[in-house]
Amino acid sequence: MRKLLLATLLMIPAAVVSAEDGVHAVNAVAGVAPPAADETTKPQAEAKPAIDCTGKLGVSRVAEVDTTGGGDYGEQYPPTKLLEKGEVVITFDDGPHPTFTREILAALAEQCTKATFFQVGQMIKSFPEISKEVQAAGHTVGTHTWSHKNMGAVSLDRAKSQIESAINIAEATLPDGVAPFFRFPYLSDPKRVRDYLASRHIAVMGIDADSFDWRNRSPDKVFKNIFSALDKSGGGIMLFHDIHPQTVKVIPEVLAELKARGYKVVHLVPKARVETVAVAEPEPMRNPLRRSTKHRRAVKR
Ligand SMILES: [Zn+2]
């Protein structure tokens, strides 16, 4: 199964430096990583002029995460060596969204930077082309359950079905496969489910800095939230959602401000692709976009 990781490794610049905590620092390159422009690409690339990455946020390094035996990252877990002070990881949950995700991708491309998207299984099923565009743009794709169920409120069997169904649709959709990176909806992470993920060699990606973009409709407020969180944490894994208009509006300013404040973006990539297991798909599809709106009001966190 480890052979499958070759595709991912090809994207990685040079020497793999071994480090602890299952994280390998892979090269430090100054503000690099041009957006995946001229490879075997995308129809829409042709009309656009190449983006000049000079002075842009960029990616300071790629961190290859070894998920053998799982791994828990983010402030709610014991400290790891994933990131140095001043380093950030940009993450988006709940997509792919038929319109907003593309706008987020454009903002990231404009700053020549890379993020991780935790996609919901039924959203991938509804909008597979958008899901593929995220990967084609060079971002990392992990999963976020099939239909955004609270893993603390369902049986272990149901949790497994939610997790595996999302992985299966992602694997079936994405040419390069899906990363063994998982984010819990509502960050609700019962031990039994974390143990299961560890047994599947899937890492739990928590957060260090929340933009609260799911409950604040004002882009200004989202901007203030994320930077006050970063002021406290000094960096870390940042949480946004690519399903909200306020996030689309504010993200260009957020990226510019990260650059102005000297934060360094780390792009997380998996050491190996996830291995799939057969499972029956849960609930029949309803309108997944309805959930997106309800989500904002329903969640506690
Ligand atoms: Zn979510």
Side-chain angles (χ1 to χ4, degrees):
M1 64 153 211
R2 299 289 169 212
K3 56 194 166 248
L4 293 174
L5 65 94
L6 277 175
T8 328
L9 287 178
L10 290 176
M11 300 169 44
I12 297 168
V16 175
V17 183
S18 197
E20 290 162 52
D21 278 332
V23 177
H24 302 266
V26 186
N27 211 4
V29 195
V32 273
D38 47 323
E39 316 161 55
T40 50
T41 46
K42 302 288 98 182
Q44 70 261 37
E46 57 199 39
K48 285 189 197 160
I51 291 169
D52 179 4
C53 291
T54 316
K56 300 291 178 65
L57 181 59
V59 170
S60 75
R61 71 182 174 95
V62 175
E64 187 185 279
V65 183
D66 183 350
T67 65
T68 308
D72 298 315
Y73 301 95
E75 65 159 8
Q76 60 271 56
Y77 305 116
T80 69
K81 295 184 175 161
L82 181 66
L83 300 173
E84 302 288 333
K85 200 91 179 151
E87 288 186 330
V88 294
V89 172
I90 308 168
T91 73
F92 296 92
D93 288 4
D94 294 4
H97 185 279
T99 52
F100 299 146
T101 300
R102 281 194 174 127
E103 297 185 60
I104 299 279
L105 291 179
L108 294 168
E110 180 58 38
Q111 284 289 343
C112 306
T113 196
K114 301 292 180 208
T116 298
F117 290 74
F118 294 94
Q119 298 186 340
V120 171
Q122 66 174 8
M123 297 292 272
I124 300 173
K125 187 161 181 172
S126 300
F127 311 109
E129 292 310 314
I130 311 277
S131 182
K132 284 189 229 176
E133 280 178 37
V134 172
Q135 182 170 76
H139 304 289
T140 299
V141 179
T143 58
H144 192 48
T145 74
W146 172 257
S147 59
H148 211 273
K149 287 276 180 276
N150 183 336
M151 298 289 94
V154 299
S155 68
L156 181 57
D157 277 349
R158 193 132 185 247
K160 288 179 187 176
S161 160
Q162 282 277 327
I163 290 164
E164 301 297 351
S165 297
I167 288 171
N168 287 348
I169 189 75
E171 275 285 322
T173 303
L174 297 167
D176 297 333
V178 68
F181 296 167
F182 178 81
R183 175 161 289 142
F184 281 100
Y186 319 112
L187 306 177
S188 163
D189 62 344
K191 171 118 180 10
R192 62 182 184 279
V193 184
R194 281 200 284 132
D195 288 347
Y196 174 70
L197 290 164
S199 77
R200 292 276 288 113
H201 307 297
I202 294 169
V204 173
M205 294 294 172
I207 70 165
D208 297 290
D210 197 341
S211 68
F212 293 99
D213 58 345
W214 48 268
R215 72 170 190 204
N216 290 113
R217 290 177 191 228
S218 147
D220 287 350
K221 190 79 176 71
V222 174
F223 184 93
K224 285 186 188 119
N225 289 341
I226 196 65
F227 283 102
S228 71
L230 285 176
D231 284 345
K232 281 193 205 112
S233 63
I237 303 172
M238 305 161 68
L239 173 62
F240 298 94
H241 297 80
D242 53 328
I243 58 167
H244 300 305
Q246 58 272 25
T247 311
V248 170
K249 286 204 186 88
V250 79
I251 209 75
E253 282 172 57
V254 168
L255 299 178
E257 184 70 8
L258 286 172
K259 171 74 181 167
R261 294 192 184 201
Y263 283 106
K264 306 278 185 221
V265 175
V266 174
H267 181 204
L268 299 185
V269 299
K271 184 168 183 200
R273 199 163 146 170
V274 75
E275 211 172 346
T276 56
V277 297
V279 67
E281 218 165 73
E283 308 74 60
M285 295 286 300
R286 282 169 303 180
N287 178 0
L289 291 176
R290 245 190 92 236
R291 191 208 60 72
S292 309
T293 338
K294 238 172 52 188
H295 174 61
R296 186 174 48 237
R297 299 194 196 105
V299 292
K300 296 172 254 28
R301 209 212 123 89

